Amino acid sequence: MDLSIVFLGTAGAVPTIKRGPSSLLIIRGGDRILVDCGEGTQRQLMRSVGISRIGKVLLTHLHGDHYLGLPGLLKTLSLQGRETPLEIIGPPGLEEFFRVAHPIFGRPQFPLELREVSAGTASEEDGYRLCAQRTDHGIPSVAWSFQEEERPGRFHPDKAIELGVEPGPDFGRLQRGENVVTSGGKEVAPAEVMDGSRPGRKIVVTGDTRPMDELEAFAEGATVLVHDATFVTAESDRAVETKHSTAKEAAITASRAGAGLLVLTHLSSRHNPRLVQKEAARLFPESVVPDDLDYLVVPYPDKGRPDLSSGRYWTESAGWSAECEQV
Ligand SMILES: [Zn+2]
């Protein structure tokens, strides 16, 4: 199953010419999960994968740079004739916020399902779950994790044949966890012909936060950790004051959590992205700073390492979406 992340907006509270406010899209097979929706997100989607197939929106918190793209996105989806429900899950206060902001958001032409979570499993999907963890940002805020179920271990057809199983439907039964009986009357169990189960992939997005022990535990073993890196250490007092993290703090969390790759985001316009990356990489070498529209392919851990491609991918491939012409 393909899994990837499109970084739609990587700026901190103030956008720059090159970086928009927070948003990223997790794509797993046909599922599309938007995490945060800063101003301009819908155009970033149009420039890359399109906007129509978003199934869920996860919000980390209700600071404007994380949700101000929603009114426009919802309006466009309405104009496109969307009928399928859209679920928006966020921290406590989400429903009251939508009630108060109703005149701005308008009434979408499709069902909008709002749900508040502060911690724990928010959604069980086919093959993965979405979980929340409270974070430390001064207002109700959560980090999000996308966690796949374990996969069955590798099947060894040669071993099965050796035990007398004939290639065909019995191979499928063994791989689905069923015992089979050979033509010679011998019962063969899956454990005899398959390795132990393999972990699924895990993506954690912290949103804006100070470092926390609970967050390290939440991010444990993450294949990819997308972490707030608003500041560098030279401005660590600002990080404390505004309840954000420095690149170094993000690296410490990634290291303690045993993450595979650290993606630094929510960059302040005052810092050079290369210096942000360097500060983190001194402690955690597998650190990257994506540009807007960069695209991260996340293979199963036994199949390779996450691979970051340039946002130019979209203009050089069929990635350009014509949806913006359809309204
Ligand atoms: Zn914030």
Side-chain angles (χ1 to χ4, degrees):
M1 180 74 74
D2 289 344
L3 178 67
S4 52
I5 306 172
V6 185
F7 297 97
L8 299 165
T10 59
V14 179
T16 67
I17 290 171
K18 289 188 175 170
R19 294 181 188 272
S22 287
S23 185
L24 61 81
L25 185 72
I26 297 173
I27 305 175
R28 182 185 189 265
D31 290 359
R32 296 181 178 203
I33 304 155
L34 191 66
V35 183
D36 284 338
C37 187
E39 179 193 344
T41 295
Q42 62 167 327
R43 293 193 71 231
Q44 294 292 71
L45 285 165
M46 288 169 179
R47 289 188 177 104
S48 51
V49 295
I51 73 171
S52 61
R53 289 196 283 145
I54 292 168
K56 278 189 194 345
V57 180
L58 310 178
L59 295 179
T60 59
H61 63 296
L62 292 168
H63 278 155
D65 55 320
H66 293 255
Y67 73 81
L68 278 174
L70 268 178
L73 176 65
L74 299 181
K75 183 73 183 171
T76 302
L77 291 174
S78 285
L79 290 169
Q80 286 185 337
R82 180 182 176 117
E83 290 177 354
T84 47
L86 180 70
E87 191 174 24
I88 302 181
I89 316 178
L94 180 79
E95 289 171 21
E96 172 65 7
F97 170 78
F98 266 81
R99 197 185 60 73
V100 172
H102 181 257
I104 298 165
F105 278 82
R107 188 180 298 281
Q109 299 301 303
F110 52 88
L112 200 58
E113 296 169 359
L114 303 175
R115 205 141 56 79
E116 297 182 355
V117 292
S118 51
T121 301
S123 188
E124 292 274 6
E125 304 294 326
D126 186 14
Y128 63 92
R129 64 173 58 167
L130 302 168
C131 301
Q133 162 66 46
R134 201 175 290 108
T135 54
D136 178 14
H137 189 50
I139 63 168
S141 59
V142 291
W144 284 103
S145 82
F146 160 98
Q147 167 82 64
E148 283 181 329
E149 290 168 3
E150 287 193 333
R151 290 177 299 144
R154 204 180 303 278
F155 174 61
H156 296 284
D158 48 335
K159 277 191 196 167
I161 291 169
E162 222 172 85
L163 292 169
V165 182
E166 291 191 14
D170 279 353
F171 273 24
R173 290 189 186 102
L174 284 164
Q175 290 179 71
R176 287 195 299 274
E178 300 167 26
N179 287 6
V180 299
V181 180
T182 68
S183 53
K186 184 176 167 5
E187 191 165 356
V188 177
E192 296 176 77
V193 295
M194 291 179 72
D195 295 337
S197 57
R198 294 170 283 182
R201 292 161 290 191
K202 180 175 177 179
I203 297 168
V204 171
V205 183
T206 65
D208 300 356
T209 184
R210 289 294 300 142
M212 298 165 74
D213 291 347
E214 296 89 333
L215 202 50
E216 285 173 21
F218 186 66
E220 191 182 345
T223 320
V224 178
L225 172 62
V226 182
H227 203 295
D228 172 3
T230 310
F231 297 105
V232 292
T233 300
E235 284 200 299
S236 52
D237 52 341
R238 288 277 299 145
V240 173
E241 198 180 304
T242 60
K243 288 193 171 284
H244 281 287
S245 297
T246 64
K248 183 181 175 183
E249 288 167 335
I252 291 170
T253 298
S255 173
R256 290 183 181 160
L261 178 74
L262 171 62
V263 177
L264 302 153
T265 189
H266 203 268
L267 268 58
S268 163
S269 54
R270 294 203 297 279
H271 299 309
N272 180 328
R274 274 189 301 172
L275 296 181
V276 173
Q277 192 275 339
K278 269 189 179 171
E279 178 172 301
R282 273 197 287 274
L283 273 168
F284 192 79
E286 295 298 318
S287 299
V288 294
V289 175
D291 290 328
D292 280 16
L293 296 181
D294 279 1
Y295 178 85
L296 185 73
V297 174
V298 188
Y300 289 111
D302 52 326
K303 299 265 169 67
R305 295 148 81 90
D307 184 31
L308 189 67
S309 297
S310 160
R312 284 197 303 275
Y313 170 88
W314 305 112
T315 46
E316 290 166 0
S317 72
W320 268 102
S321 162
E323 285 182 23
C324 43
E325 311 298 336
Q326 292 173 3
V327 178

